[in-house]
């Protein structure tokens, strides 16, 4: 979420800077070109003013009429010299042309009025009595483009000649590029500041969201005491954090009341049930013969109800427990539980086999993990057929230590695997097997209280593999 929000903010800032920078860059280029054009038009106007004042004198040089006056010839010679000096000094092609394009003074000498393009258009505009308007824009990458301007020479209201100049654009392009680089540097600095502000803004906005996400995850994994610490951020998110804490408090209170009710109910029902079973036994002594089957059924149902109450009490106790995980050698703990269950396995004709390393240190509550393993072993021995094996394997992984108990029983289908471990759930195929449906639920609750987990997987060809996993100690 942080990356997406930061990406959106940066994209918006890029669009804003582009919307401001691109027109400004174009304005810089246009302003620099306008300065050049105005300067060239001023030079052209000055040359136009220096021409001989007589339009007939200009025409006579072309028509072969009598020679102009000596003063006019001197002025024309001076203008030719000035045009050549102008070209030598500035590198700008300059020409004074008569209406038909014949040169009066031009530098370099072989330069003529362009036949096509902007130069021809500017010359025609000058013949019409107008200064050429701004030529096409020159950009830093248009290296072959020149700036051509033309100014008319007007005598007695008539255009008698045209001053035409064609300027190279190397210096202009360099100045535009320099201004663009300065502009780009300014925008880069502005972008860096904007990114820094965007990062700070994103952190400020998302800090309560991350805190809320961590608290939600902790509660989802069984750490019901997790809460959102008060912090900064937008007022709306602060109110959301307070509301979340209030909701979590109400949920924990409701769960505690429910657990307390289950524990109290199990405990309170245990004594009346024991008294009831005792009365059944006394009543059975006084019943006439022939009622042994009914009496046996009552005893069996009473015993089953007693086991359910015991399991409910165990589940409530496990849910109330808040053990502190400690470094525990699960290999030795598993071996001890295997030795404890071996007599039961031998009585049922099942072989218990163990495999694993000599040392497997995990973070677990030894009592809780042992009780969970007992529940899983009881389940495996209950459903394993006579002559089969129940295998226990301890595996040390990168982040956890896992103990897998595999049996050769009927196993569970895919749909049943998703429900395994639910309270009071039992497969329809196993309803005739003794049990309350709480054994695996108790095991899962005991593991979750210590930060562990319980997983289920099928075994081929038949059977069920139950994995008890706890985290490994953090490495220094």
């Amino acid at each position: 979420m942080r990356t997406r929000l930061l990406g959106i903010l940066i994209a918006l800032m890029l669009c804003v800077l582009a919307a401001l920078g691109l027109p400004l860059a174009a304005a810089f280029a246009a302003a620099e070109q306008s300065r050049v054009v105005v300067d060239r038009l001023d030079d052209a106007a000055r040359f136009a003013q220096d021409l001989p004042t007589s339009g007939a004198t200009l025409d006579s040089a072309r028509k072969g009429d009598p020679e102009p006056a000596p003063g006019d010839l001197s002025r024309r010679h001076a203008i030719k010299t000035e045009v050549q000096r102008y070209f030598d000094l500035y590198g700008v092609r300059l020409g004074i042309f008569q209406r038909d394009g014949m040169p009066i003074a031009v530098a370099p000498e072989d330069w003529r009025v362009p036949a096509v393009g902007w130069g021809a258009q500017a010359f025609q505009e000058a013949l019409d009595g107008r200064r050429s308007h701004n030529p096409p824009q020159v950009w830093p990458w248009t290296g072959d483009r020149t700036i051509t301007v033309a100014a008319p020479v007007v005598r007695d209201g008539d255009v008698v000649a045209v001053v035409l100049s064609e300027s190279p654009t190397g210096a202009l392009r360099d100045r535009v590029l320099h201004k663009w680089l300065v502009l780009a540097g300014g925008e880069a600095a502005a972008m860096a500041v904007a990114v820094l502000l965007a990062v700070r803004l994103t952190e400020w906005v998302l800090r309560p969201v991350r805190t809320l996400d961590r608290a939600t995850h902790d509660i989802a994994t069984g750490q019901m005491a997790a809460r959102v610490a008060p912090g900064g951020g937008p007022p709306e998110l602060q109110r959301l954090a307070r509301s979340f804490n209030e909701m979590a408090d109400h949920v924990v209170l409701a769960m505690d009341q429910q657990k307390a009710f289950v524990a109290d109910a199990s405990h309170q029902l245990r004594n009346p049930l024991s008294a009831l079973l005792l009365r059944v036994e006394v009543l059975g002594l006084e019943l006439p013969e022939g009622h042994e089957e009914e009496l046996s059924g009552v005893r069996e149902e009473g015993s089953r109800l007693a086991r359910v109450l015991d399991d409910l009490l165990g589940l409530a106790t496990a849910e109330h427990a808040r053990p502190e995980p400690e470094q525990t050698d699960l290999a030795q703990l598993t071996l001890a539980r295997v030795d404890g269950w071996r007599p039961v396995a031998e009585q049922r004709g099942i072989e218990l086999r163990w495999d694993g390393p000599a040392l497997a240190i995990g973070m677990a509550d030894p009592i809780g993990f042992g009780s969970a393993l007992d529940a899983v072993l009881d389940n495996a021995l209950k459903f394993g057929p006579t002559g089969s094996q129940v295998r226990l394997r301890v595996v040390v992984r990168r982040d956890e230590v896992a103990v897998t108990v595999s049996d050769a029983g009927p196993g569970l289908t895919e749909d049943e695997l998703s429900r395994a471990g639910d309270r009071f759930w039992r497969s329809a195929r196993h309803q005739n097997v003794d049990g309350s449906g709480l054994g695996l639920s108790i095991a899962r609750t005991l593991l979750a209280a210590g930060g562990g987990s319980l997983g289920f997987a099928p075994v081929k060809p038949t059977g069920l593999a139950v994995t008890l996993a706890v985290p490994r100690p953090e490495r220094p």
Side-chain angles (χ1 to χ4, degrees):
M1 184 175 179
R2 177 180 180 273
T3 302
R4 290 193 295 271
L5 181 58
L6 194 58
I8 292 173
L9 292 176
I10 291 177
L12 290 176
M13 288 183 289
L14 283 174
C15 292
V16 171
L17 289 177
L20 295 175
L22 294 179
L24 188 57
F28 282 159
E32 286 294 327
Q33 180 165 318
S34 295
R35 287 176 53 193
V36 173
V37 171
V38 170
D39 183 68
R40 297 298 181 268
L41 287 174
D42 289 344
D43 292 342
R46 181 174 60 82
F47 279 106
Q49 291 176 357
D50 290 342
L51 282 177
T53 57
S54 172
T57 302
L58 294 174
D59 291 339
S60 64
R62 175 175 57 86
K63 298 176 180 178
D65 291 341
E67 288 293 328
D72 288 342
L73 290 175
S74 175
R75 292 281 298 278
R76 288 180 61 184
H77 178 73
I79 288 176
K80 289 182 178 180
T81 304
E82 187 67 21
V83 168
Q84 185 63 45
R85 288 180 59 192
Y86 185 84
F87 172 72
D88 295 338
L89 182 60
Y90 299 109
V92 178
R93 294 179 177 180
L94 182 67
I96 304 174
F97 300 94
Q98 298 185 24
R99 293 183 58 87
D100 59 358
M102 293 298 295
I104 298 173
V106 64
E109 294 182 357
D110 59 346
W111 186 55
R112 294 294 181 268
V113 176
V116 294
W118 175 254
Q121 181 180 343
F123 186 81
Q124 186 60 47
E125 289 178 353
L127 290 180
D128 295 337
R130 296 173 293 143
R131 286 186 174 185
S132 57
H133 62 274
N134 199 27
Q137 182 63 49
V138 175
W139 305 106
W141 55 84
T142 54
D144 58 342
R145 183 172 297 174
T146 58
I147 294 180
T148 304
V149 298
V153 180
V154 181
R155 297 291 183 267
D156 298 329
D158 296 327
V159 176
V160 297
V162 173
V163 180
L164 188 69
S165 70
E166 185 180 81
S167 306
T169 58
L172 171 62
R173 288 184 285 109
D174 289 342
R175 290 195 301 272
V176 172
L177 182 60
H178 175 72
K179 287 198 172 184
W180 281 11
L181 290 176
V182 173
L183 177 62
E187 291 216 341
M191 187 65 193
V193 174
V195 169
L196 180 61
L197 292 177
V199 171
R200 297 296 298 272
L201 176 63
T202 304
E203 290 291 334
W204 178 71
V205 171
L206 294 184
R207 186 182 299 115
V209 176
R210 288 196 297 269
T211 306
L212 183 62
D213 178 66
R214 286 195 298 269
T216 305
H217 179 268
D218 292 340
I219 291 177
T221 54
Q223 303 178 37
M224 303 304 296
R227 294 294 182 272
V228 179
E236 295 81 2
L237 292 180
Q238 294 181 25
R239 287 196 299 271
L240 177 61
R242 291 193 295 270
S243 300
F244 177 84
N245 287 339
E246 294 174 1
M247 179 195 67
D249 291 338
H250 290 310
V251 170
V252 171
L253 178 61
M255 292 180 63
D256 288 342
Q257 291 175 346
Q258 181 184 14
K259 294 172 184 177
F261 172 77
V262 172
D264 293 342
S266 302
H267 185 269
Q268 293 299 326
L269 289 175
R270 194 69 177 82
N271 293 333
L273 179 61
S274 299
L276 179 61
L277 292 177
L278 181 59
R279 290 178 181 273
V280 168
E281 292 295 334
V282 173
L283 185 60
L285 297 176
E286 300 177 0
L287 287 176
E289 295 182 1
H291 296 278
E292 289 80 4
E293 185 176 352
E294 290 82 356
L295 181 61
S296 176
V298 171
R299 289 171 178 168
E300 183 178 348
E301 290 299 325
S303 299
R304 182 175 179 276
L305 182 57
R307 287 195 299 271
V308 171
L309 291 177
D310 289 339
D311 288 343
L312 279 174
L313 186 59
L315 179 61
T317 303
E319 289 178 341
H320 276 291
R322 292 292 181 267
E324 288 294 333
E326 59 185 60
Q327 294 190 16
T328 305
D329 185 0
L330 298 184
Q332 295 300 318
L333 180 60
T334 303
L335 278 173
R337 302 318 305 146
V338 168
D339 292 339
W341 282 90
R342 197 177 300 278
V344 178
E346 292 176 352
Q347 181 181 1
R348 298 180 182 179
I350 298 175
E351 181 184 2
L352 277 177
R353 301 195 63 178
W354 178 89
D355 181 28
L359 184 66
I361 303 298
M363 295 299 296
D365 170 40
I367 297 177
F369 189 91
S371 299
L373 185 58
D374 285 342
V376 174
L377 281 171
D378 179 40
N379 202 65
L381 293 174
K382 188 184 301 181
F383 289 99
T386 302
S388 64
Q389 292 182 346
V390 172
R391 298 175 177 269
L392 289 88
R393 187 183 181 194
V394 181
V395 179
V396 179
R397 297 170 183 160
R398 180 178 179 180
D399 299 321
E400 64 181 12
V401 179
V403 178
T404 301
V405 180
S406 304
D407 61 58
L412 298 174
T413 64
E414 272 190 33
D415 294 337
E416 292 172 340
L417 283 174
S418 63
R419 298 200 58 190
D422 292 349
R423 297 175 183 177
F424 296 106
W425 180 83
R426 303 184 71 193
S427 172
R429 298 177 289 119
H430 307 152
Q431 295 297 327
N432 296 328
V433 180
D434 290 339
S436 61
L438 290 173
L440 295 180
S441 298
I442 294 174
R444 174 177 285 173
T445 303
L446 290 171
L447 285 173
S453 61
L454 190 69
F456 304 92
V459 175
K460 294 182 180 181
T462 60
L464 179 67
V466 183
T467 301
L468 302 85
V470 297
R472 293 184 63 185
E474 294 184 1
R475 298 179 182 178

